[in-house]
Amino acid sequence: MWGFNLAKFLKKVGAELIVTDIFEENVKRAVNELGSKAVKPDEIIGADCDVFAPCALGAIIKDDTINKLKCKIVAGSANNQLKEERHGDILQQKDILYVPDYIINAGGVINVVAELEPGGYIKEKATRKVEALYDAVLEVIEIAKKENIPTYKAADRLAENRINLLAKVKSTYIK
């Protein structure tokens, strides 16, 4: 489902789509509704593309797949896309930008929290908060470049800094 929603959005903004899925009906839907090009699951990792967006299978970036990548960016919603952290180091060496899955997936969490807020769900408010993730991704990229570290480490550093800041605020105001 998430992959199809992403594909719909990307198609709307003019992207050419190459898709796959282990369920043939999902591939047919993407081809029929979005004009996507279909490939077999074992061919997607080597697809010549700008962005590789794994949205289902975790640990897709691993020793036997990483050298097949022909993309500039890896950014999808699948959890734990890197089989091991060192694969993030390799992506950096290959000059492939990796956007950690937990930043991308934060939008879903933000939306769920918005559904639980007193007064009910306000789509515009939730959308504004989700759109702020763009700035978080830019900040991760900036940290990675500045400190010459892979983006997965930069994202962890950003998250740790925010957690520490919140802990300081909490300890100052809540006693």
Side-chain angles (χ1 to χ4, degrees):
M1 180 172 108
W2 292 110
F4 189 79
N5 289 335
L6 174 62
K8 281 193 321 188
F9 174 79
L10 292 173
K11 186 65 177 183
K12 233 183 243 190
V13 297
E16 294 178 33
L17 305 171
I18 304 169
V19 301
T20 198
D21 198 299
I22 59 171
F23 299 106
E24 187 62 32
E25 61 273 10
N26 293 342
V27 175
K28 287 178 183 176
R29 181 179 179 205
V31 168
N32 293 335
E33 292 183 30
L34 305 174
S36 305
K37 175 185 173 189
V39 296
K40 294 179 181 171
D42 62 344
E43 296 171 346
I44 196 70
I45 196 81
D48 191 6
C49 60
D50 292 324
V51 179
F52 176 62
C55 292
L57 183 63
I60 189 83
I61 309 297
K62 53 190 175 183
D63 290 340
D64 62 336
T65 61
I66 201 162
N67 289 321
K68 295 177 183 177
L69 289 170
K70 296 179 184 171
C71 61
K72 298 172 188 162
I73 300 170
V74 173
S77 61
N79 293 328
N80 306 313
Q81 294 163 30
L82 305 176
K83 179 156 174 107
E84 299 173 39
E85 285 186 348
R86 67 184 178 83
H87 295 118
D89 300 323
I90 296 168
L91 289 175
Q92 181 192 24
Q93 292 163 6
K94 293 173 67 70
D95 202 27
I96 297 173
L97 175 65
Y98 170 65
V99 181
D101 54 271
Y102 68 84
I103 296 175
I104 290 172
N105 289 335
V109 174
I110 290 167
N111 199 59
V112 167
V113 169
E115 291 173 358
L116 301 174
E117 286 186 5
Y121 180 75
I122 301 169
K123 182 178 180 177
E124 296 76 20
K125 184 177 178 183
T127 300
R128 273 194 314 279
K129 289 182 177 183
V130 169
E131 287 173 348
L133 292 173
Y134 176 81
D135 293 329
V137 171
L138 292 179
E139 192 171 352
V140 165
I141 294 167
E142 184 179 314
I143 292 167
K145 285 181 181 177
K146 182 178 176 184
E147 299 183 24
N148 195 30
I149 59 174
T151 52
Y152 77 91
K153 287 183 181 177
D156 288 350
R157 188 158 298 157
L158 177 63
E160 289 163 3
N161 289 342
R162 289 184 177 182
I163 290 167
N164 291 334
L165 179 63
L166 287 173
K168 286 179 187 176
V169 168
K170 183 179 178 185
S171 68
T172 301
Y173 294 102
I174 301 174
K175 293 187 183 202

